[in-house]
Each structure stands twice: as structure tokens, then as C-alpha cells.
């Protein structure tokens, strides 16, 4: 909603009807401002809306309603329909328009005096009068579409604010003062499509609310007798949105599945709800930004991964360009997927992801390069004596040294808002008495930590908690609530924060994966009974499998209708009669997109990315990349070799990349890999270097990052003791689209006796270890 005259917002509404019109009467919180909106009910298939430009007092508005009643007495007069708290939007299927409104709300928190609400109840009302309602309004298809839209439960995990742009982070609100249409077009407003027709017609957002989907929790905590408020917000992107196996990887526009921005806000408790200081830190999660997917299977709980070739990693590059637009540099990537598997699944993506990061970094200046860290969290969590949360906390502290956090000083004034306030500060309206808060940033966050595992649910949530804990220590320290910028894992505050992140993880996992998150590490940290934890994990696995196999397709259909990715049209096939490789790409005209392949069965969702300009980032002076043409990076020559084995699963590749091999073994201007890694690992307090074959980290201070980690892993295999090496029974092979970088992602085929002495290796293998390149058996 936009501020109206005097900085006021419409917050409460009453809906009335006559035979020919709906009248929506809205008022502000103080009952000083009253407005009227008219909606035509005689249009059978079109939407007719007219806003009364007059601002009324309460008595004037009552007199107006009485005159309307008298004028329509012969046709039944003016009747009260319902009270409501904002318009969610308007939807049209095959016949009439429907209006979706909020009829009950719940206050869930406050940020700097701005109330945040969730939806308690919503209602969908047909606009046309029954006498002009088209026959199709009661058709079977129309009713099915209505049931589909209503299956999107707006009472769960949707939240909004009348006066605060909750769809943007606190730092974004300080730096970008745009309101109205602009904020509705951002990636986190889920009813952008539903409100589009009304906003474009009225040229304002006074009557609608911007819904954010994700998670919101706020609680008051205490530390040494001082109270403070902790707020955790997760904003799910509407771009490429959907369910687990329906949405994977990245689409052609650089938008990833399960894209969620998490913001942690801390401020001291004050009697007037206006703190003197406030801090915020933002982190990001999202699917591995490669073009890959999995086909839903009722027979296989872990479907095979299909990896599609992406020439020059264009989609991956677009994704990271968008992250730079949103958060700036540096972008730090924490990749938690498995390194070695008996049947390569995650490890295929891990190798290709590392290759993509190296390729992208080749075309970027040193200070703009992506920072890449890899930790096989699954293996670490199974290793006895390993404190996974402790390791993650150390990594998080190191990342925070790079990105920092937002710290603002807040001063209040009784003067009206000054729209001409200068840069570096932000005037925020607090209430209807013209009280404003000026926020002056003392510290700004630069860059972001991007965390992913295969689903970006379970392992990702553990890592995000570790980052949140490290950030909370710094937030409390800058607020002068603690003397040290660190919170111990066994501190009661850590337990409180773990509860926040566990609830957020469960909520996001249900939205995307169909079940609550696997919280094994959290349960172990609390010392819960192992047998109870195992039974809980098993039940959640079954629940996730059932929902993925049986209910997710309809859930995906509902999401696509709600977001406007599919728009029904008479004479065209209904949504439920289309194949999975068709119906996600059909627009209002009912035409198919050109790209429909055998394995491409996932949506490339429409919708506006943050910047509407289709030009490359370099053309918009983002990241200061000096490349002038649309291809930011040079073409890298890669080789695709495949030697299948009996134990290897069938891996589908949509295209083959016919390029020769590239060697990553030499990196000019770099220190010794082992020397640099050992220094870094010792500084973080990790185990000795010989154990790093299960903990693969690229240096945060490095500009080359992931391209050298393969050479390090190959050398560590020879020099590591036997207990540090995973030995399998499969033979070594190369996957399509992967050169030597993917080799260490498969289990070693050597027996323990062979591994005990490096002299047992062939001269060819020793040469590969020393010089890199391609190795095939």
C-alpha cells in the first residue's frame, strides 16, 4: 500500500453491494481518512473499477452510503457484505472476474513501529451480478479452477504490512525509497499478477496489500537482564517457484528453484517500539544454478539426476549477475553436497558446479570473483568426534569478515516526512501522527553468503543456523548488549536461535519438499534420544516421498495459476489435460513455448526479474565488468567423455559439449595449494591437512577458488592415511560433460592394500597427479 495524504494508509475496509455495483469503503487507522472504490457488477467478463477521488470524513462517508441506498431502493438498496483488511487481487478463469479479499488478519510482529500481519481468513467473491453472470461461471472446468486457486492456503506462511515494505530487506529499504508499483514488481511479492490489472488501471496501490510468502517469526529474548527483539524473515521468490521435483536448478533467465532470502533483524526493546539502534544480516539459499532436473517417480524414492548442457554456463552466469545486483560483492558460495558416492548423483552436480564457478571467474576481475567453499556436510555429520556446527560456525565467522552486516542508528522526530531527505539516511513513517524515524546506517552489508545442498532444505538450514548464530553474536555486540562478538553453541541464546531456524526450516521444507526438515544435527546438539530422532526422520522421509509422488503435480498447478504462469482461456486445453512439458509454458494466448524436449519438462516461469533491462550486467555498470558485448566471458573448451560401468546409474545428458579438454593444474600468481590451504585450515581451527580429503574448502581470500581443489584432492589421496580415504568397489569413469574435475567425485576403485603405497600406482596415474589433465582407464 502507498501512503496517502498526510502519510496515512488504508487499513480497514467494509464491502457493500447493490444490484449494479460493489462499494468498498476504506479508512485509515485513526478513522480520519475515508475513501470509496466502485466495482461494476453489470460487466459479465470484464473488470470495471472506478476510484472516487474525494477524501471523506466518517460522517460524510455515512451520508454518501445513505444516498446510495436510497437511490437503489427499488432494486434492493445497499447491503453490507463483509468487513475486510485489503484486496489480495482479482482472478479470471474462463468466465467472470473474482475478487480475493482478506477477511481476518493476525498481527505477528512489529518492525520500527510498523505492524506486520498474517492472513487469518480470506474469501473469493464473484464480481458480476447473478443476472448477467455467464453460463460458463458454473461449468465443471470453472469450478475446478476455483478449487485449484483456493487450494493455495493463504492463511499459512503469507504475511504483509500496510506501511512497511516487508518484501525488501531493511538495507534495501534504506537504499531504495521507491514505493507503490515498483515494490509489487519485485521477486518476493506473490500476488503481483493478481493485483496487476487493478494497479495498472488505478495507477496506485492504495487498496491492495503485497503478500510475501515464506516465514516470519518474532520473539522477545533476554540477555543479562536486557530485553531485545529477534526477528527472522524468509522471503520465497515467485520466480521459478514450485515443488521439489517440479522445479530444480536454474532456468534460462537465471532464476533458481527454491530461491529464499533470509533476514535476521535484532533491536533492543523499548517502551514505544522505536529502538535507538537496529541491526540486520541477510543470507540466501537457492537450488544449484545448473540446468538439471529429476523426473518424479512413484517407484524410485531418489530419481536419477538429468543434467542438461548449458553452453558457456549462460544461465548460471545470469543467476550470479542477479545476486550481485541484489546484494553486491562478494558472493560467497557454500556448497554442501556430497563429494563421493557409490552411485554418482550429487557428486555429478558438485563437479559441474565447481567447473562453472571456475569458468565464470576467468572473465571477472580479482575483486569481483565468486568465492567458493565446499563441505561434504553429509560425510562430516557421520564422522565420529566431528563438531559439524562448530566447523560451520567458524566458516560463518570468516564469511562475516567479508560481508559484514547492517547497523543503523535511529532518531525520531514529530515533524512530517521530508521527501527530500538526502542519501545515506532513510525517513520512515511510524504512525498517523506524523512521527518519523530517521535511520542512519553506521555499517552496511556488502555481498551475501549463498548456501545450497541438493534440495536446499535440510543441510542448508543447518548451515544457515550456524551463520545466523555467528551473526547474532556480532549484532548483539554492535548494539552493546555483549562484550564479545561471539555466542557459544551451548549458550541458552543458541538454543533460542536454533528453535527459530528449526521452525523456519520445517516451514520452508513443507512448502518445497512436502514434509518438515530433517533436523538430525539439531536433535543431536540438544542431546535427544537417538532412536526417537531416527523414527522421526524415517516418517518425514515417507511423508516427503508420498507428497512428491502423488500431490505435488496438483500443488504445482495451483502455484502456476496463482502466479499467473498459466492463464486459462476458452477453446484451449485445460491445465490438467496438458503434459508436464507443455502446460507450464503456456501463456494467455494458449500457445506453447518453442523449447519442449524429451527431458525438458520443467517450467521456465515467466515474471519480472529485479531489473527489467535485458542487457548484460556489464551494460548496466554492475560489477564494473569491462566486457562490452553480450557475451561477458570467453568460450572455454571442455571435453566430454563417458565410460559407463555396471554399478553406475543411467545419467541423462540432453546435449553433448564437443570441446577439447582444459587443464586447471597451473594457476599463475597463486601460492602453493597445500601451503595456502594448511594455513587457512589451521587459522580456522580445522583438523590437520591430511584429513581435508573429507573437508574441501576453497580459500575465501582466493580469487581463483574452486579450480584448484581437484589438484589438491588428487595429491591428498596419495599422502593421506588409510582412514581418511573412502574406498568403494566401483571402477573409475568419466561422466558426459565432465573432464578430470569430476573424477574425484566417484569412489576410488583401489583396494586398501593398493592405497597404502603410492608406488603401486601406474606411471600414468602418477603423471596425472603431478600434471593434471585427463585420466581414463
Amino acid at each position: 500500500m502507498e501512503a496517502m495524504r498526510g502519510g496515512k494508509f488504508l487499513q480497514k475496509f467494509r464491502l457493500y453491494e447493490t444490484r449494479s455495483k460493489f462499494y468498498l469503503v476504506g479508512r485509515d487507522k485513526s478513522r480520519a481518512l475515508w475513501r470509496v472504490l466502485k466495482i461494476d457488477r453489470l460487466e459479465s467478463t470484464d473488470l470495471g473499477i472506478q476510484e472516487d477521488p474525494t477524501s471523506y470524513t466518517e460522517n460524510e462517508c455515512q451520508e454518501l452510503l445513505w444516498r446510495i441506498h436510497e437511490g437503489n431502493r427499488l432494486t434492493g438498496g445497499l447491503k453490507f457484505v463483509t468487513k475486510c483488511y485489503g484486496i489480495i487481487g482479482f482472478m479470471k478463469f474462463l468466465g467472470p472476474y473474482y475478487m480475493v479479499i482478506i477477511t481476518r488478519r493476525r498481527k505477528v510482529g512489529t518492525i520500527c513501529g510498523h505492524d506486520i500481519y498474517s492472513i487469518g481468513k480470506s474469501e473469493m467473491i464473484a464480481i458480476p451480478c447473478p443476472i448477467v453472470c455467464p453460463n460458463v461461471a458454473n461449468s465443471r472446468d470453472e469450478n475446478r479452477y476455483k478449487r485449484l486457486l483456493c487450494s493455495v492456503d493463504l492463511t499459512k506462511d503469507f504475511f504483509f504490512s500496510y506501511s512497511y515494505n516487508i518484501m525488501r530487506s531493511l538495507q534495501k529499504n534504506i537504499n531504495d525509497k521507491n514505493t507503490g508499483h515498483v515494490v509489487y514488481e519485485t521477486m518476493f511479492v506473490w500476488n503481483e499478477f493478481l493485483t496487476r490489472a487493478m494497479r495498472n488501471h488505478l495507477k496506485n496501490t492504495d487498496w491492495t496489500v503485497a503478500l510475501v510468502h515464506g516465514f516470519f517469526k518474532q520473539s522477545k529474548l533476554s540477555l543479562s537482564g536486557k530485553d531485545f527483539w529477534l526477528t527472522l524473515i524468509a522471503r520465497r521468490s515467485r520466480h521459478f517457484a514450485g515443488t521439489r521435483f517440479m522445479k530444480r536448478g536454474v532456468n534460462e533467465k537465471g532464476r533458481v528453484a527454491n530461491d529464499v532470502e533470509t533476514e535476521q533483524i535484532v533491536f533492543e526493546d523499548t517502551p514505544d517500539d522505536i529502538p535507538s539502534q537496529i541491526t540486520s544480516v541477510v543470507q540466501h539459499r537457492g537450488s544449484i544454478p545448473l540446468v538439471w532436473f529429476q523426473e518424479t517417480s512413484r517407484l524410485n524414492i531418489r530419481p536419477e539426476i538429468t543434467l542438461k548442457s548449458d553452453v558457456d554456463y549462460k544461465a548460471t552466469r545470469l543467476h550470479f549477475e542477479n545476486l550481485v545486483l541484489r546484494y553486491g560483492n562478494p558472493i560467497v558460495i557454500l556448497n554442501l553436497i556430497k563429494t563421493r558416492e557409490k552411485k554418482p548423483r550429487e557428486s555429478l552436480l558438485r563437479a559441474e558446479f565447481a567447473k562453472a564457478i571456475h569458468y565464470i571467474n576467468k572473465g571477472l576481475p580479482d575483486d569481483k570473483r565468486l568465492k567458493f567453499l565446499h563441505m561434504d556436510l553429509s560425510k562430516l555429520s557421520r564422522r565420529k568426534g566431528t563438531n559439524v556446527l562448530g566447523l560451520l560456525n567458524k566458516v560463518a565467522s570468516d564469511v562475516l569478515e567479508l560481508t559484514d552486516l547492517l547497523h543503523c542508528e535511529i532518531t525520531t522526530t514529530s515533524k512530517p516526512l521530508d521527501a527530500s531527505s538526502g542519501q545515506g539516511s532513510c525517513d520512515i513513517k511510524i504512525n498517523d501522527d506524523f512521527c518519523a524515524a530517521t535511520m542512519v546506517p553506521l555499517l552496511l552489508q556488502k555481498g551475501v553468503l549463498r548456501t545450497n545442498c541438493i534440495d536446499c532444505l535440510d543441510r542448508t538450514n543447518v548451515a544457515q543456523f550456524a551463520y545466523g548464530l555467528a551473526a547474532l553474536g556480532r549484532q548483539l555486540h554492535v548494539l552493546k548488549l555483549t562484550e564479545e562478538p561471539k555466542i557459544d553453541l551451548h549458550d541458552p541464546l543458541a538454543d533460542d536461535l536454533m528453535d527459530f531456524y528449526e521452525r523456519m526450516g520445517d516451514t520452508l521444507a513443507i512448502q518445497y519438499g512436502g514434509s518438515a526438515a530433517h533436523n538430525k544435527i539439531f536433535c543431536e546438539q540438544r542431546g535427544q534420544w537417538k532412536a526417537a530422532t531416527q523414527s522421526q526422520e524415517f516418517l518425514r522421509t515417507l511423508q516427503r516421498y508420498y507428497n512428491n509422488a502423488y500431490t505435488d503435480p496438483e500443488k504445482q498447478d495451483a502455484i502456476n495459476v496463482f502466479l499467473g504462469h498459466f492463464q486459462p482461456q476458452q477453446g484451449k486445453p485445460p491445465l490438467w489435460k496438458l503434459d508436464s512439458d507443455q502446460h507450464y509454458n503456456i501463456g494467455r494466448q494458449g500457445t506453447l513455448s518453442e523449447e519442449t524436449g524429451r527431458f525438458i519438462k520443467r517450467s521456465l516461469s515467466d515474471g519480472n526479474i529485479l531489473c527489467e533491462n535485458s542487457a548484460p550486467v556489464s551494460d548496466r555498470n554492475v560489477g564494473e565488468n569491462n566486457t562490452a558485448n553480450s557475451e561477458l566471458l570467453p568460450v572455454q573448451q571442455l571435453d566430454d567423455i563417458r565410460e559407463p560401468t555396471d554399478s553406475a546409474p543411467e545419467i541423462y545428458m540432453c546435449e553433448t559439449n564437443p570441446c577439447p579438454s582444459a587443464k586447471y593444474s597451473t594457476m599463475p600468481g597463486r601460492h602453493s595449494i597445500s601451503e595456502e590451504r594448511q594455513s587457512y585450515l589451521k587459522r580456522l581451527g580445522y583438523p590437520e591437512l591430511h584429513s581435508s580429503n573429507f573437508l574441501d574448502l576453497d580459500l575465501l581470500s582466493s580469487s581463483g577458488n574452486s579450480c584448484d581443489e581437484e589438484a589438491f584432492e588428487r595429491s591428498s589421496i596419495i599422502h593421506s592415511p588409510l582412514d581418511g580415504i573412502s574406498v568403494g568397489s566401483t571402477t573409475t569413469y568419466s561422466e558426459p560433460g565432465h573432464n578430470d574435475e569430476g573424477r574425484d567425485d566417484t569412489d576410488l576403485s583401489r583396494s586398501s592394500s593398493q592405497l597404502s603405497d603410492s608406488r603401486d600406482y601406474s606411471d600414468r596415474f602418477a603423471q596425472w597427479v603431478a600434471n593434471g589433465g585427463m585420466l581414463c582407464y
Side-chain angles (χ1 to χ4, degrees):
M1 286 205 172
E2 293 179 86
M4 303 187 69
R5 299 180 186 180
K8 300 179 186 295
F9 300 87
L10 299 181
Q11 296 192 22
K12 294 186 178 182
F13 306 84
R14 293 176 68 86
L15 182 64
Y16 299 88
E17 67 172 355
T18 64
R19 189 174 181 178
S20 61
K21 284 184 174 61
F22 276 117
Y23 292 90
L24 187 64
V25 178
R27 67 171 176 85
D28 66 338
K29 191 174 183 179
S30 65
R31 307 177 71 94
L33 176 68
W34 296 72
R35 298 290 301 275
V36 178
L37 183 73
K38 305 172 186 178
I39 304 172
D40 193 350
R41 300 189 66 198
L42 297 181
E43 289 285 350
S44 59
T45 58
D46 294 330
L47 182 63
I49 301 178
Q50 181 182 357
E51 183 181 35
D52 188 336
T54 306
S55 296
Y56 297 95
T57 64
E58 184 171 2
N59 290 334
E60 290 172 343
C61 191
Q62 289 179 356
E63 185 178 345
L64 173 65
L65 293 177
W66 174 254
R67 291 200 304 267
I68 294 173
H69 173 71
E70 289 296 313
N72 291 270
R73 185 179 291 275
L74 294 178
T75 57
L78 183 70
K79 299 177 182 178
F80 172 74
V81 179
T82 183
K83 65 178 181 179
C84 60
Y85 299 93
I87 297 176
I88 294 173
F90 292 86
M91 171 60 76
K92 175 184 172 66
F93 304 117
L94 301 173
Y97 269 94
Y98 300 88
M99 178 170 59
V100 185
I101 57 176
I102 300 170
T103 56
R104 191 180 302 162
R105 66 182 183 184
R106 295 186 301 267
K107 182 179 174 181
V108 293
T110 302
I111 299 177
C112 293
H114 300 267
D115 293 334
I116 313 299
Y117 298 93
S118 66
I119 298 175
K121 186 179 179 181
S122 63
E123 189 173 341
M124 184 167 65
I125 300 174
I127 298 298
C129 179
I131 62 173
V132 298
C133 201
N135 294 331
V136 73
N138 297 315
S139 68
R140 179 179 298 180
D141 286 353
E142 181 79 4
N143 289 330
R144 187 164 178 177
Y145 279 123
K146 288 163 63 177
R147 290 194 301 269
L148 200 61
L149 182 67
C150 291
S151 68
V152 178
D153 192 350
L154 297 174
T155 65
K156 291 183 178 179
D157 313 324
F158 285 89
F159 49 95
F160 65 94
S161 176
Y162 298 104
S163 56
Y164 180 74
N165 290 326
I166 191 65
M167 74 292 295
R168 299 193 300 199
S169 67
L170 187 62
Q171 180 164 318
K172 187 69 173 177
N173 278 324
I174 292 174
N175 294 334
D176 186 354
K177 301 175 184 178
N178 291 321
T179 59
H181 287 273
V182 175
V183 297
Y184 273 81
E185 293 169 358
T186 58
M187 62 193 300
F188 299 120
V189 177
W190 272 57
N191 59 334
E192 184 277 333
F193 169 73
L194 295 181
T195 60
R196 188 185 302 165
M198 183 177 184
R199 290 183 291 110
N200 290 341
H201 180 73
L202 299 180
K203 307 302 180 185
N204 65 54
T205 60
D206 298 339
W207 302 90
T208 57
V209 296
L211 292 184
V212 179
H213 186 41
F215 176 82
F216 185 97
K217 179 176 172 59
Q218 184 178 75
S219 290
K220 183 192 293 186
L221 303 177
S222 182
L223 178 66
S224 302
K226 297 181 180 179
D227 294 336
F228 66 92
W229 287 93
L230 174 63
T231 307
L232 188 63
I233 306 171
R235 305 175 179 95
R236 180 177 295 282
S237 171
R238 63 182 170 88
H239 299 315
F240 207 48
T243 57
R244 185 183 178 203
F245 289 136
M246 298 290 175
K247 298 292 181 179
R248 289 296 216 189
V250 64
N251 69 10
E252 62 185 0
K253 298 179 182 179
R255 298 159 184 165
V256 294
N258 199 18
D259 187 326
V260 180
E261 175 186 275
T262 301
E263 182 177 19
Q264 181 174 295
I265 301 175
V266 179
F267 54 88
E268 194 172 0
D269 182 44
T270 56
D272 58 356
D273 291 335
I274 310 299
S276 59
Q277 297 180 84
I278 188 169
T279 68
S280 165
V281 66
V282 172
Q283 54 180 319
H284 174 268
R285 72 169 72 184
S287 187
I288 300 170
L290 301 170
V291 184
W292 65 282
F293 48 88
Q294 291 174 282
E295 293 300 328
T296 306
S297 172
R298 297 184 179 181
L299 303 177
N300 186 0
I301 197 169
R302 300 177 70 193
E304 302 296 347
I305 290 176
T306 303
L307 181 63
K308 182 192 174 188
S309 175
D310 181 19
V311 180
D312 302 337
Y313 298 106
K314 291 180 180 179
T316 306
R317 180 177 53 183
L318 283 173
H319 171 66
F320 287 115
E321 287 176 350
N322 179 248
L323 285 185
V324 173
L325 279 172
R326 289 157 61 182
Y327 306 110
N329 280 304
I331 304 297
V332 183
I333 304 159
L334 178 57
N335 184 27
L336 304 174
I337 61 178
K338 297 175 182 177
T339 303
R340 296 181 177 87
E341 302 168 289
K342 290 182 180 179
K343 287 188 175 183
R345 296 176 68 257
E346 295 186 16
S347 55
L348 295 172
L349 296 176
R350 179 253 186 259
E352 188 70 12
F353 193 17
K355 189 187 299 182
I357 298 302
H358 167 65
Y359 178 74
I360 291 171
N361 276 343
K362 285 180 64 177
L364 298 175
D366 290 351
D367 60 334
K368 306 296 183 184
R369 291 184 176 180
L370 305 171
K371 314 296 181 185
F372 186 85
L373 294 86
H374 176 80
M375 294 178 67
D376 189 340
L377 194 64
S378 179
K379 182 178 247 182
L380 282 173
S381 63
R382 294 194 304 267
R383 204 174 168 90
K384 291 184 178 180
T386 301
N387 186 349
V388 175
L389 288 175
L391 293 176
L392 288 170
N393 192 260
K394 290 175 182 178
V395 171
S397 298
D398 211 64
V399 174
L400 280 166
E401 291 290 338
L402 291 172
T403 62
D404 221 324
L405 50 81
L406 173 70
H407 177 209
C408 289
E409 193 175 60
I410 302 176
T411 58
T412 58
T413 177
S414 59
K415 297 179 180 179
L417 295 175
D418 182 7
S420 62
S421 57
Q423 295 183 353
S425 66
C426 178
D427 291 334
I428 298 181
K429 175 188 171 295
I430 299 300
N431 55 42
D432 291 329
D433 297 325
F434 300 100
C435 180
T438 301
M439 305 181 68
V440 180
L442 305 177
L443 283 175
L444 288 174
Q445 179 174 339
K446 49 187 183 298
V448 74
L449 172 66
R450 183 200 193 276
T451 308
N452 72 265
C453 53
I454 195 69
D455 294 320
C456 301
L457 296 177
D458 312 317
R459 288 167 283 181
T460 296
N461 202 59
V462 173
Q464 289 207 327
F465 159 71
Y467 187 78
L469 183 63
L472 180 60
R474 292 172 182 251
Q475 288 176 293
L476 295 175
H477 181 66
V478 299
L479 293 177
K480 299 181 180 178
L481 296 177
T482 60
E483 295 182 358
E484 297 292 332
K486 183 178 179 181
I487 299 176
D488 189 83
L489 276 170
H490 301 287
D491 192 287
L493 272 181
D495 292 335
D496 292 332
L497 187 69
M498 186 182 294
D499 179 65
F500 270 70
Y501 277 86
E502 187 172 10
R503 292 192 183 189
M504 180 185 75
D506 288 342
T507 300
L508 297 179
I510 290 171
Q511 293 167 8
Y512 180 69
S515 76
H518 294 286
N519 296 315
K520 179 181 176 182
I521 294 177
F522 289 159
C523 294
E524 290 176 351
Q525 178 68 19
R526 295 193 185 100
Q528 295 180 8
W529 187 32
K530 188 175 182 180
T533 301
Q534 289 175 339
S535 62
Q536 174 183 279
E537 299 297 291
F538 176 70
L539 290 174
R540 289 182 177 182
T541 298
L542 288 181
Q543 182 184 10
R544 189 172 293 185
Y545 161 72
Y546 175 82
N547 285 325
N548 294 162
Y550 294 94
T551 67
D552 277 1
E554 185 172 348
K555 184 178 177 181
Q556 183 69 59
D557 289 345
I559 291 173
N560 286 333
V561 169
F562 185 87
L563 295 176
H565 299 328
F566 177 89
Q567 300 172 43
Q569 186 180 18
Q570 291 192 49
K572 300 296 181 181
L575 180 62
W576 44 89
K577 290 186 178 180
L578 298 176
D579 294 333
S580 59
D581 61 344
Q582 295 178 334
H583 68 268
Y584 298 130
N585 291 328
I586 294 183
R588 186 63 183 167
Q589 301 304 317
T591 57
L592 291 172
S593 66
E594 294 181 1
E595 183 177 5
T596 55
R598 178 182 177 186
F599 302 114
I600 310 304
K601 294 188 177 182
R602 297 297 170 252
S603 166
L604 304 182
S605 300
D606 294 331
N608 299 322
I609 205 162
L610 186 63
C611 182
E612 292 298 330
N613 194 337
S614 60
V617 171
S618 59
D619 294 344
R620 297 191 293 271
N621 297 321
V622 177
E624 298 180 7
N625 194 327
N626 296 326
T627 307
N629 56 30
S630 60
E631 297 215 0
L632 297 180
L633 307 176
V635 177
Q636 182 183 8
Q637 303 297 310
L638 302 173
D639 195 14
D640 297 328
I641 297 179
R642 176 169 182 165
E643 296 183 10
T645 63
D646 294 336
S647 61
E650 184 177 4
I651 308 296
Y652 300 107
M653 296 295 293
C654 295
E655 297 179 21
T656 302
N657 194 356
C659 303
S661 172
K663 298 183 179 180
Y664 304 143
S665 56
T666 59
M667 290 294 295
R670 294 288 306 275
H671 298 293
S672 166
I673 297 299
S674 59
E675 209 174 69
E676 201 170 6
R677 281 180 179 274
Q678 181 141 10
S679 170
Y680 182 67
L681 292 172
K682 284 183 178 180
R683 177 164 61 87
L684 290 181
Y686 289 131
E688 293 297 324
L689 183 61
H690 65 75
S691 299
S692 63
N693 62 329
F694 69 85
L695 182 61
D696 183 6
L697 291 173
D698 282 304
L699 303 178
L700 285 177
S701 58
S702 164
S703 60
N705 298 308
S706 61
C707 52
D708 293 325
E709 62 189 359
E710 310 303 334
F712 168 73
E713 288 178 355
R714 292 195 293 267
S715 63
S716 65
I717 287 174
I718 294 181
H719 299 295
S720 300
L722 293 180
D723 59 1
I725 301 179
S726 171
V727 182
S729 59
T730 60
T731 57
T732 307
Y733 67 98
S734 295
E735 291 298 333
H738 298 77
N739 61 6
D740 58 296
E741 283 201 13
R743 296 211 162 271
D744 62 341
D745 292 333
T746 59
D747 286 350
L748 301 178
S749 59
R750 304 284 183 172
S751 67
S752 58
S753 61
Q754 287 174 307
L755 289 169
S756 62
D757 191 344
S758 63
R759 292 174 298 178
D760 291 339
Y761 289 95
S762 66
D763 293 339
R764 189 179 179 193
F765 182 82
Q767 199 172 30
W768 170 69
V769 170
N771 302 319
M774 190 67 62
L775 178 68
C776 300
Y777 283 101

